[in-house]
Amino acid sequence: MFTTLLKSPIPFSSSFNSTQNPSKTQKGNHSFNKNSKFSVSKTHRNGPIKMPTPPWMKGPLLLQPDEVLKPTTKRSSNNNSKAPEKALFGKESGVRGKKVMKKIIRDVEKLQGNGVLDDNQIGKFEEFEIGNWLEEIGSDGEVKKIDRKMPWVREEEKVVFRRMKKEKVLTQAEIILDNDLLERLRKKAMRMRKWVKVMKAGVTQAVVDEIRLVWRNNELVMLKFGVPLCRNMDRASEIVEMKTGGLVVWCKKDVLVVYRGQNHWLTSNGRRVFNNLASDNNTTMSQEKSNASTWGRSLNGEDRDENNQPVVGSLYERETDRLLDGLGPRFIDWWMRKPLPVDADLLPEVVPGFRPPTRLSPPKTRPKLTDEELTNLRKLAHPLPFHFALGRNRNLQGLANAILKLWEKSLIAKIAIKWGAQNTDNEQMANELKDLTGGVLLLRNKFLIIFYRGKDFLPQGVANSVMEREMALRRCQLIEEDARVKVAETFQVANEPLAKTSTVGTLAEFQDIQTKYGVLEKENNELEIQIEAQKENLERELRNQERKLAILNGKIEKSATKLAKLNSSWQTAEPDLDLETITEEERECLRKIGLKLSSCLLLGRRGVFNGVIEGVHQHWKHREVVKVITMQRAFLRVIYTAKMLVAESGGILVSVEKLKEGHAIIIYRGKNYRRPSKLMTDHLLTKREALQRSIELQRIGSLKFFAYQRRQAILDLKLKLVL
């Protein structure tokens, strides 16, 4: 190819023009390099030419020289558009993967649409057609087909189902009242500013009486709910309509407006009828509520069962109601979503003949729960509905009996503590229920109590079967014993008395052994186990205390070493033998002067160091007396500090006085006082060293106190082990 390039006339003409215009020569060379592929195709007319191929083609593309496309000179109106063959053969830079493949597909479609490829080229491309099957040549030369989806094949559009909107259920007011009347009542309700407050206890009889009192003068009454009913206003409206007989016409956030109705009774008889309706049992009210909700849903076209009766509630509610049927009356003032739990306060306080259930663990299992099982049971109990609502602390035999019935169908019993109930104690409730049922307490707080029936729980039917089986075994043993005695009497020697008959291997012998030694051996074994456990605990605690004492002793030695090093770096001054004396009158006068001084020198935890002596001399520069206040509590330590100040400064101790702030040490400089040339002495500690010494003294004192406590604990443990 290089020789053909030298023989072509294009380089010769460009070199000839280079002497005339160098700039044109550069442009000519550039254009030559640009179109070098096509110049090669013009020279090679004897054999096929290898053309560039797309990335998906695995074989070479060989074309004859007359089949090679020639570049078009016509420019497109759009400068950004590329020639089809350049778009196919050119390199794509800056993008990778899926985008490149999509762009190549579009370019191929453009080539086919423009008719650039002729029949021969199309035939050659068909050899490398990309379909669902790819051909691969194996090591043995055989062609294998692999069904593989290519990355540029567009996936089918996914079908997206939109969330269905919840159908609006008509309220009782919308069903019964006219639209004009309902609109008028709602406009009036928006302007109301006075309301009746509903507290934690819910819609009580006092709230109902207050609502009826408002209805005497006004057809509407506004209710403002607190927790917990404010969290479920749908349930709140149902309770209000059921207990008052009114209609909820307007609702916003935690506020309800109730209409008294067109047939409102204002007479005393009418009020008495309302009171009778409100005092009905919970079963009747629940039935009325279910009938009203059934009527509203039937108008909306709800599903019906096999008996052509409308289905009330969801499957979740129906299954929970079926689980709780027969356990007791429902709690009407329930503040959460349905189903309604059983009202435990209406269950009997004492059940005649009640006793805790029989418990028997399966073979090779322990009744105690592991941590993992406890966590799993708590997670399982979280989404379950509440089965009972409780508001009293004691006399829970009726609730315990209902829980035992529930455990025959469910593993977990979930109890809600009523809001607004006075003096509720969840700990007392849980302890009494645990004693009555024998269950496992999973969770307890001020809102709920959750019990698990336990691994050793036996339903009543299974417990009865076990008892019957044990009684049958005892009867069989008695029958065998009677048969053995009869056989022994048959083969008895006539002269031998019956009392000397051997009982070896009989049931009577086994029962005698169990009576004499069985209970005693069991008690002894339990006592020995308890003693061994206590001994092991004491030995473990003794080793722990000894280890802690060894650590404290090491710290004491380390602190003592640091303290000895600091103490060796300072020494007290020798007392002056030629002391100046003062009279009692002078001492009293100097004491009064010192007490009246407003300026003083504070002595902190560092004690006496070189900075304190410098401060004393600075005070003596302007006055004859200095007052030093120390915070030390022990009077002997105060006297020692005063003597040390006198020895280091060379002054005269006037007095030591007890003040509210601490102790005041008054020192007189003397009549023959001369200010020293160097105020800070070298034989005392510096400020930093004095602080370190104070910290080490405090540390070693605390460590010795704790070490003393450890020694006393070790002595007590050794004494317990000996006894």
Side-chain angles (χ1 to χ4, degrees):
M1 184 180 293
F2 183 74
T3 57
T4 56
L5 287 174
L6 293 176
K7 293 178 182 179
S8 63
I10 298 176
F12 176 76
S13 61
S14 61
S15 61
F16 177 76
N17 295 331
S18 60
T19 57
Q20 298 177 2
N21 194 347
S23 62
K24 292 184 179 180
T25 303
Q26 294 176 1
K27 291 182 180 180
N29 291 335
H30 180 69
S31 62
F32 166 75
N33 294 333
K34 212 172 186 182
N35 300 326
S36 60
K37 294 181 181 179
F38 301 102
S39 63
V40 171
S41 64
K42 291 179 182 179
T43 55
H44 290 274
R45 298 183 180 275
N46 297 329
I49 301 174
K50 183 178 179 182
M51 300 298 294
T53 58
W56 61 79
M57 296 180 65
K58 296 186 177 180
L61 179 59
L62 303 177
L63 297 178
Q64 296 299 327
D66 55 349
E67 295 177 354
V68 179
L69 296 176
K70 297 180 181 180
T72 57
T73 57
K74 184 178 179 181
R75 294 186 179 180
S76 175
S77 59
N78 188 6
N79 297 328
N80 296 329
S81 63
K82 299 180 180 179
E85 64 277 2
K86 187 175 181 181
L88 177 61
F89 301 143
K91 294 183 179 180
E92 295 289 340
S93 60
V95 290
R96 295 184 62 185
K98 191 174 182 181
K99 293 182 179 180
V100 175
M101 303 309 297
K102 287 183 178 180
K103 194 169 183 181
I104 292 173
I105 293 297
R106 287 196 297 267
D107 294 339
V108 171
E109 293 175 355
K110 188 185 296 184
L111 283 172
Q112 293 176 354
N114 295 337
V116 178
L117 299 177
D118 52 3
D119 295 337
N120 295 331
Q121 292 175 345
I122 292 175
K124 292 188 178 293
F125 274 111
E126 287 178 354
E127 296 179 1
F128 306 97
E129 184 67 20
I130 305 301
N132 293 332
W133 296 89
L134 294 179
E135 295 183 359
E136 291 185 359
I137 300 176
S139 59
D140 54 354
E142 296 181 358
V143 178
K144 300 179 181 179
K145 291 187 177 181
I146 302 174
D147 190 4
R148 185 182 302 167
K149 198 170 185 180
M150 299 308 295
W152 59 80
V153 177
R154 297 180 181 177
E155 298 181 357
E156 297 181 359
E157 296 183 357
K158 297 182 180 179
V159 180
V160 179
F161 296 96
R162 292 189 177 182
R163 187 174 181 181
M164 299 297 293
K165 292 185 178 180
K166 186 178 179 181
E167 296 182 2
K168 181 181 180 182
V169 180
L170 296 178
T171 62
Q172 295 294 325
E174 293 174 349
I175 296 171
I176 297 174
L177 300 179
D178 297 335
N179 293 334
D180 297 338
L181 177 60
L182 184 61
E183 189 67 23
R184 181 182 65 83
L185 293 175
R186 286 178 175 174
K187 289 181 179 180
K188 186 178 179 180
M190 293 178 186
R191 295 191 296 268
M192 296 182 69
R193 293 296 179 267
K194 293 184 179 180
W195 60 77
V196 177
K197 184 67 176 177
V198 181
M199 306 302 290
K200 289 183 180 180
V203 186
T204 59
Q205 187 60 37
V207 175
V208 174
D209 294 339
E210 191 172 356
I211 291 172
R212 291 176 185 148
L213 184 63
V214 176
W215 274 348
R216 291 183 181 181
N217 302 322
N218 195 352
E219 61 181 355
L220 295 178
V221 60
M222 180 180 283
L223 302 178
K224 188 175 180 64
F225 289 85
V227 290
L229 274 176
C230 66
R231 300 171 183 170
N232 192 353
M233 294 303 293
D234 294 337
R235 181 62 193 156
S237 62
E238 290 180 5
I239 295 173
V240 169
E241 289 179 352
M242 180 179 54
K243 288 194 172 184
T244 62
L247 298 174
V248 176
V249 296
W250 188 70
C251 176
K252 185 177 180 181
K253 294 184 180 180
D254 58 345
V255 176
L256 290 179
V257 177
V258 188
Y259 175 52
R260 67 185 179 185
Q262 297 175 351
N263 299 325
H264 178 65
W265 300 331
L266 297 176
T267 60
S268 59
N269 295 332
R271 287 193 298 272
R272 188 157 50 251
V273 170
F274 272 119
N275 292 332
N276 293 335
L277 288 174
S279 61
D280 283 345
N281 56 29
N282 291 311
T283 308
T284 305
M285 287 189 289
S286 178
Q287 187 66 29
E288 292 175 357
K289 173 176 61 70
S290 62
N291 292 338
S293 60
T294 303
W295 177 33
R297 286 169 180 161
S298 62
L299 292 177
N300 293 332
E302 296 253 340
D303 297 335
R304 294 176 178 270
D305 58 6
E306 297 177 354
N307 299 328
N308 200 19
Q309 296 292 332
V311 177
V312 181
S314 62
L315 179 61
Y316 174 79
E317 297 176 9
R318 295 197 300 272
E319 289 297 323
T320 308
D321 289 335
R322 185 179 60 83
L323 184 67
L324 299 180
D325 285 342
L327 298 182
R330 299 301 180 88
F331 180 51
I332 302 300
D333 293 328
W334 181 238
W335 56 87
M336 296 177 70
R337 63 175 184 174
K338 297 177 183 178
L340 304 180
V342 176
D343 194 349
D345 294 342
L346 299 180
L347 297 175
E349 296 183 356
V350 179
V351 178
F354 176 82
R355 60 179 183 179
T358 304
R359 292 188 172 271
L360 182 64
S361 298
K364 299 181 180 180
T365 58
R366 293 183 179 181
K368 187 177 179 181
L369 294 175
T370 61
D371 294 341
E372 185 177 359
E373 292 173 342
L374 186 64
T375 303
N376 293 334
L377 287 172
R378 286 175 179 171
K379 291 180 180 179
L380 179 65
H382 179 69
L384 293 180
F386 285 94
H387 304 118
F388 302 95
L390 182 60
R392 67 168 183 252
N393 299 330
R394 301 173 62 251
N395 301 326
L396 303 177
Q397 283 191 3
L399 176 59
N401 191 23
I403 289 175
L404 294 178
K405 293 180 181 179
L406 176 65
W407 278 346
E408 295 182 359
K409 305 176 184 178
S410 175
L411 296 175
I412 294 171
K414 199 170 180 180
I415 305 168
I417 299 176
K418 292 182 179 179
W419 286 67
Q422 300 295 325
N423 301 324
T424 56
D425 188 358
N426 57 83
E427 184 178 2
Q428 186 176 356
M429 295 176 185
N431 291 335
E432 185 166 352
L433 288 174
K434 187 175 182 180
D435 295 338
L436 292 174
T437 62
V440 180
L441 181 64
L442 296 180
L443 185 62
R444 171 184 64 83
N445 53 35
K446 64 179 181 179
F447 301 111
L448 56 90
I449 301 172
I450 302 176
F451 274 100
Y452 170 58
R453 68 180 186 180
K455 299 179 182 178
D456 53 354
F457 175 77
L458 293 178
Q460 190 63 32
V462 179
N464 294 335
S465 301
V466 172
M467 294 298 295
E468 291 175 0
R469 182 63 178 167
E470 290 182 355
M471 294 298 296
L473 289 175
R474 290 182 182 179
R475 285 195 298 269
C476 291
Q477 289 177 352
L478 292 175
I479 292 171
E480 291 177 358
E481 183 67 16
D482 292 339
R484 192 198 63 80
V485 171
K486 289 180 182 180
V487 171
E489 290 177 353
T490 302
F491 294 98
Q492 181 185 4
V493 181
N495 297 329
E496 187 177 357
L498 183 64
K500 294 184 180 179
T501 303
S502 175
T503 60
V504 177
T506 63
L507 179 63
E509 181 188 13
F510 175 73
Q511 291 177 350
D512 292 341
I513 293 173
Q514 289 292 327
T515 303
K516 292 180 180 179
Y517 306 106
V519 178
L520 182 61
E521 183 179 359
K522 184 177 180 180
E523 292 179 355
N524 291 337
N525 289 337
E526 291 180 356
L527 184 60
E528 289 178 359
I529 290 173
Q530 292 179 0
I531 292 174
E532 289 294 331
Q534 292 179 359
K535 185 177 180 181
E536 182 66 25
N537 292 335
L538 289 175
E539 290 178 353
R540 187 186 303 110
E541 184 65 23
L542 180 61
R543 291 193 297 269
N544 190 19
Q545 294 292 339
E546 289 178 348
R547 180 182 63 83
K548 291 181 179 180
L549 180 60
I551 294 173
L552 287 174
N553 290 333
K555 291 182 178 180
I556 289 173
E557 292 178 0
K558 185 176 180 181
S559 181
T561 304
K562 290 182 179 180
L563 187 61
K565 184 177 180 181
L566 290 172
N567 288 335
S568 62
S569 62
W570 72 283
Q571 56 183 358
T572 58
E574 296 180 359
D576 190 5
L577 299 178
D578 187 12
L579 293 176
E580 186 178 353
T581 59
I582 56 175
T583 61
E584 292 297 329
E585 291 82 2
E586 292 175 343
R587 186 182 298 275
E588 183 66 22
C589 181
L590 292 172
R591 187 183 73 83
K592 291 181 180 180
I593 293 173
L595 291 175
K596 291 180 180 180
L597 288 176
S598 59
S599 60
C600 60
L601 185 64
L602 292 177
L603 199 64
R605 63 176 297 173
R606 294 176 175 84
V608 180
F609 59 97
N610 54 7
V612 175
I613 304 303
E614 181 184 7
V616 169
H617 287 291
Q618 291 291 346
H619 276 268
W620 280 343
K621 181 178 180 181
H622 304 284
R623 57 190 68 87
E624 296 180 345
V625 179
V626 61
K627 181 170 67 175
V628 181
I629 295 179
T630 178
M631 301 297 178
Q632 295 172 340
R633 296 180 180 180
F635 190 71
L636 293 177
R637 296 294 304 171
V638 175
I639 296 299
Y640 175 78
T641 302
K643 291 181 179 179
M644 188 174 180
L645 285 173
V646 169
E648 295 294 338
S649 62
I652 301 171
L653 180 62
V654 176
S655 67
V656 178
E657 301 291 337
K658 180 69 174 69
L659 301 178
K660 183 172 63 175
E661 298 86 1
H663 288 83
I665 303 173
I666 302 174
I667 304 175
Y668 174 53
R669 69 179 183 181
K671 299 175 183 178
N672 300 326
Y673 171 73
R674 289 184 179 180
R675 184 178 176 85
S677 58
K678 188 176 182 181
L679 299 180
M680 299 182 66
T681 58
D682 296 334
H683 60 276
L684 292 179
L685 297 176
T686 61
K687 186 176 182 179
R688 180 177 296 179
E689 293 174 346
L691 179 60
Q692 292 178 358
R693 179 176 178 273
S694 174
I695 292 173
E696 292 300 331
L697 283 173
Q698 184 180 2
R699 180 182 291 120
I700 198 171
S702 300
L703 292 174
K704 287 182 178 179
F705 173 75
F706 291 129
Y708 172 76
Q709 287 185 338
R710 300 299 178 195
R711 293 191 190 95
Q712 293 296 324
I714 289 171
L715 291 177
D716 295 340
L717 291 173
K718 288 182 178 179
L719 183 61
K720 289 180 181 179
L721 285 173
V722 170
L723 296 178

